[in-house]
Amino acid sequence: MAVLYSWLGNMAMAGNDIEGAERNYATALEHEPRLMVARLNRATALINLNRYEAADRILHEILSDQPDNARALDLLGESAVQTGRVEEGIELWERSLALQPSASLTARLERARRILTAEKGFDRTTGAHFALKFDGGEASPELASEILDYLEEGYSDLTRRFAHEPEAVIQTILYSTRAFREATASPDWVGGLFDGQIRVPIRGLTHVTPQTKRVLIHELTHCLVASRSRGNAPQWLQEGIAQVVEGRSSAGDRQRLLAAWQGPDGARSAAEFSYPRALSQMEFFLERWSDSHLNALLDRLGRGDDIDASLQAVTGLSYQEFLASWGAWLES
């Protein structure tokens, strides 16, 4: 029975149904508490669900018996990095790599080292839902407090809008522009980043400006959408709703989007990503349907459905039919 439930968990993970996978692994361990594959896979699912403390307990139990378990070290390092304990995560990843070489882990380790260098000497402060790290040479404690207050205000608004709260404290880091580029390897035009943590360059600010607020609320929206959809929302949906919440409008791009839609490659280009196209498609979605429909869509995605099946269940339209309806909306 333990092997059966572990297999069911694997099938759920393959279908991106992380909640279902975690339940199946937990059931497997009720039948056989020492089944290693179920223990490791459950820890993986818990990390994907941002339930880091529960994952850490399992991993520490494994490592107390098997201190050279490379995968347990890898997973515990991932949990440490995701919760802001970068130096600890690096040490765990180095131990894992020494036992079992991995190109993927090598890349993650290199990125973690860049982040650690960029964040060296950072100050820390916390709020009800955020853990904030900031470069004290670039940002005053007063600015950090102002940003934290704005994030908490945005959190209250967005958790009501999405009827959802992330399970973990949201790690947020404020960098100088140079440190942000070094840590994230982002191009110059990127004004912020959400990669499981909110990362924002503050560019020598002395107070929170309207532009800073737009960047912060944009990245916080990514955090809420990723949490509710379990990371399964397509890029156009993620960027579309983040721009809507930020307060952008696609009105200035409507004629260009319409010309592309009416062109010979209109149907193909409609499915290609661009920020104006994503914003316009989300504006269409919210005009035709509602926030509650969007939340239902995110729930479907969070259970592992793809965007086609999720749209079909919530709107009655396939993804291609949704795009055709959007094109007709542009023409109206």
Side-chain angles (χ1 to χ4, degrees):
M1 291 298 293
V3 172
L4 172 61
Y5 276 106
S6 185
W7 178 82
L8 290 171
N10 293 345
M11 294 302 99
M13 283 287 278
N16 205 47
D17 179 9
I18 312 300
E19 290 275 8
E22 195 277 327
R23 287 194 299 270
N24 279 306
Y25 294 135
T27 303
L29 292 171
E30 290 174 5
H31 289 278
E32 177 45 72
R34 307 298 294 177
L35 183 63
M36 186 58 69
V37 67
R39 297 167 78 189
L40 289 167
N41 287 354
R42 188 183 183 204
T44 302
L46 287 166
I47 290 171
N48 288 342
L49 293 169
N50 300 329
R51 298 172 190 166
Y52 300 108
E53 290 184 7
D56 287 358
R57 284 194 295 271
I58 294 172
L59 295 167
H60 281 300
E61 288 171 1
I62 292 171
L63 289 168
S64 67
D65 295 331
Q66 299 182 15
D68 290 338
N69 188 306
R71 187 176 171 206
L73 289 166
D74 182 349
L75 291 171
L76 192 59
E78 182 68 29
S79 178
V81 169
Q82 288 299 324
T83 52
R85 297 172 287 128
V86 181
E87 192 166 5
E88 178 185 340
I90 288 172
E91 180 184 346
L92 289 161
W93 280 350
E94 287 174 341
R95 288 170 58 192
S96 179
L97 274 175
L99 294 163
Q100 183 175 308
S102 161
S104 171
L105 181 53
T106 297
R108 283 183 284 144
L109 177 59
E110 290 174 355
R111 183 174 187 274
R113 286 171 173 159
R114 291 199 309 271
I115 289 171
L116 183 65
T117 299
E119 297 175 7
K120 185 177 181 179
F122 273 25
D123 296 325
R124 298 170 185 260
T125 187
T126 59
H129 304 99
F130 297 86
L132 183 67
K133 290 193 288 188
F134 62 98
D135 183 346
E138 293 284 334
S140 66
E142 291 76 18
L143 174 63
S145 178
E146 192 178 347
I147 286 174
L148 193 58
D149 287 344
Y150 180 73
L151 286 169
E152 291 288 358
E153 179 184 337
Y155 181 94
S156 179
D157 292 341
L158 290 179
T159 53
R160 284 196 299 270
R161 178 168 190 167
F162 292 108
H164 173 79
E165 291 193 40
E167 298 193 40
V169 169
I170 301 169
Q171 304 291 324
T172 307
I173 305 96
L174 309 177
Y175 300 91
S176 68
T177 300
R178 178 179 177 180
F180 177 78
R181 305 298 173 215
E182 291 174 350
T184 64
S186 298
D188 291 343
W189 57 267
V190 173
L193 181 69
F194 177 74
D195 59 1
Q197 302 180 15
I198 295 174
R199 304 181 189 276
V200 177
I202 52 175
R203 298 186 174 90
L205 292 175
T206 58
H207 65 281
V208 178
T209 65
Q211 174 60 23
T212 306
K213 290 181 177 180
R214 286 194 293 271
V215 171
L216 290 169
I217 203 68
H218 183 108
E219 302 308 329
L220 184 54
T221 301
H222 282 320
C223 177
L224 269 291
V225 171
S227 178
R228 182 149 192 176
S229 69
R230 301 301 183 195
N232 196 32
Q235 187 180 21
W236 71 266
L237 192 159
Q238 270 275 12
E239 295 296 347
I241 188 60
Q243 290 177 91
V244 167
V245 171
E246 181 187 340
R248 291 186 181 273
S249 167
S250 68
D253 294 295
R254 190 179 183 107
Q255 289 305 311
R256 182 172 60 82
L257 292 170
L258 176 59
W261 167 255
Q262 293 175 333
D265 295 326
R268 179 185 58 80
S269 68
E272 293 177 350
F273 175 78
S274 74
Y275 283 92
R277 189 175 293 115
L279 174 57
S280 178
Q281 289 170 353
M282 183 50 61
E283 288 172 335
F284 163 66
F285 182 97
L286 293 174
E287 182 179 306
R288 178 69 58 87
W289 293 284
S290 67
D291 278 354
S292 63
H293 288 93
L294 176 59
N295 289 338
L297 183 65
L298 294 174
D299 282 344
R300 287 274 178 175
L301 291 165
R303 292 199 292 270
D305 290 351
D306 63 19
I307 188 61
D308 192 67
S310 299
L311 278 169
Q312 186 77 55
V314 172
T315 69
L317 302 178
S318 69
Y319 179 51
Q320 290 303 318
E321 290 169 337
F322 168 79
L323 293 177
S325 295
W326 167 70
W329 177 74
L330 287 176
E331 294 173 341
S332 63

